[in-house]
Amino acid sequence: MLFKLERNYTFMNKKYVLVILSLFICLLAGCGNRGIPVINQDMLNQKISVLVLSSASVTASASDPISQALNTWRDANGIAYEWVKDLTVLDDNVVSKLKTKSYDYIYVVGNELFASANETMKLGLSSSKWTFLQSQPFAEGSAVVLDNQASLLQVDTQQMETMKNKWIQDLLFQNVAVEWVTQSTRPIPSAWAPSEEADHIVLLDNNPQWYQQLVFQINQHRASWVIFYSPADPAQIQKAKSIGVSVMDFSGALSADLNWTQILDNRLAIMKAHSWQSGTQNYNLQELKELKMK
């Protein structure tokens, strides 16, 4: 009888050790993914599935809430997700995911990714619902060509224009001389630069002498401000700053403080209610905490 008990005890010990080893191996496998779940197609088919793509410029103020929200989506709502971050473009790795896996929703976070995301979406690799989340007010190159597969969440353009207009009016009220730099396709609003002040405007279109002309006009009018109304190359803006006057780049004049926790909570509510809609929408008052001139 004692021999039999010892054999059973030894057998139980071995079984216990095997269980512990199995758990240990699973833990090691999980650590290899740096805490970001990797899901297979079977998991995707069983629940709502999400792919999040965020740009390299997304700061901790956005990435931390994204991480927390995704964990909540998974743990409390049974949503399977993958998150590919620090992207500059949608690369071959992302394209491969779209070819081999099916996602219900794809979120693109960061203006810098919008152009390549547009091109990838046009490939028709996925029937996913794409949502583009602006990380900052509109900048050149961050436009989205929307169709019935895509939604854009952005800062209200009318609110932006109102803020820019107030800033200009406050500046002109001080009777300071302003030189404008733009393209012929983007004329300065007449309320800011009346036609009789055309000699305060410098056009960049095919004008290699724009800098010399700008310097001449600044000296002629004793201007203290240069405003780039159309998007310009950073080198051109830096060159204007070297003149020694104040320079404003209107294409990047505003910054937004976004409430990412609220933004993602609202996306979750939409997924749960199956109420996703294509088209352009503005951040609401809870999602946009502050919009200001830089």
Side-chain angles (χ1 to χ4, degrees):
M1 177 65 72
L2 179 60
F3 176 71
K4 187 176 181 180
L5 287 171
E6 286 177 349
R7 287 184 61 189
N8 287 340
Y9 181 74
T10 302
F11 174 77
M12 291 297 291
N13 270 338
K14 288 181 178 178
K15 187 175 181 181
Y16 180 74
V17 170
L18 287 174
V19 170
I20 294 298
L21 284 174
S22 298
L23 289 173
F24 183 68
I25 290 170
C26 289
L27 285 172
L28 285 178
C31 291
N33 293 323
R34 298 181 181 179
I36 300 175
V38 175
I39 51 182
N40 57 40
Q41 190 58 49
D42 288 338
M43 293 174 64
L44 289 172
N45 292 338
Q46 294 171 9
K47 55 183 72 177
I48 293 177
S49 55
V50 167
L51 176 63
V52 177
L53 309 169
S54 60
S55 74
S57 66
V58 169
T59 63
S61 64
S63 61
D64 288 349
I66 290 173
S67 178
Q68 294 166 11
L70 290 176
N71 288 332
T72 299
W73 291 5
R74 179 193 61 204
D75 298 340
N77 300 277
I79 294 175
Y81 77 85
E82 289 191 74
W83 181 14
V84 184
K85 50 182 150 178
D86 298 328
L87 292 169
T88 53
V89 295
L90 269 62
D91 54 20
D92 292 340
N93 175 46
V94 174
V95 172
S96 177
K97 287 181 182 295
L98 296 178
K99 287 180 177 179
T100 58
K101 297 178 182 178
S102 177
Y103 303 94
D104 296 304
Y105 299 92
I106 298 175
Y107 294 95
V108 181
V109 185
N111 301 27
E112 298 83 0
L113 295 182
F114 287 4
S116 65
N118 263 320
E119 295 303 314
T120 302
M121 187 172 60
K122 290 177 184 177
L123 297 176
L125 301 174
S126 168
S127 60
S128 309
K129 297 176 177 66
W130 292 68
T131 300
F132 293 77
L133 300 173
Q134 247 185 23
S135 55
Q136 282 299 320
F138 177 86
E140 191 73 7
S142 70
V144 178
V145 180
L146 298 176
D147 57 21
N148 59 7
Q149 194 180 352
S151 170
L152 168 65
L153 201 58
Q154 67 173 13
V155 177
D156 186 347
T157 54
Q158 186 57 54
Q159 184 179 355
M160 291 168 57
E161 290 306 310
T162 298
M163 183 167 287
K164 287 180 179 180
N165 184 64
K166 182 180 183 306
W167 186 86
I168 289 293
Q169 296 299 339
D170 289 346
L171 184 66
L172 297 179
F173 184 74
Q174 301 171 34
N175 291 319
V176 298
V178 175
E179 302 302 318
W180 297 87
V181 182
T182 190
Q183 305 276 348
S184 58
T185 54
R186 286 178 62 97
I188 310 301
S190 58
W192 296 352
S195 57
E196 62 268 18
E197 296 181 5
D199 60 338
H200 284 260
I201 298 172
V202 174
L203 296 179
L204 290 173
D205 308 43
N206 301 316
N207 183 7
Q209 303 299 316
W210 71 269
Y211 177 74
Q212 289 83 352
Q213 183 182 347
L214 180 61
V215 172
F216 171 78
Q217 291 181 191
I218 288 173
N219 292 331
Q220 182 184 37
H221 303 134
R222 297 182 180 179
S224 53
W225 274 92
V226 171
I227 300 176
F228 283 80
Y229 183 63
S230 66
D233 187 278
Q236 293 174 317
I237 294 172
Q238 191 58 43
K239 195 168 185 178
K241 289 181 178 180
S242 69
I243 302 173
V245 296
S246 298
V247 176
M248 170 63 78
D249 171 19
F250 246 34
S251 65
L254 298 171
S255 65
D257 184 9
L258 296 169
N259 184 345
W260 285 100
T261 299
Q262 187 66 57
I263 291 169
L264 295 164
D265 283 350
N266 291 345
R267 298 309 102 196
L268 173 61
I270 287 171
M271 288 190 291
K272 291 171 68 175
H274 303 287
S275 58
W276 183 92
Q277 293 181 336
S278 62
T280 301
Q281 303 157 44
N282 295 325
Y283 288 118
N284 63 35
L285 294 176
Q286 289 73 42
E287 294 168 335
L288 175 60
K289 293 191 286 188
E290 184 181 18
L291 180 65
K292 61 184 178 181
M293 301 292 295
K294 290 182 179 178

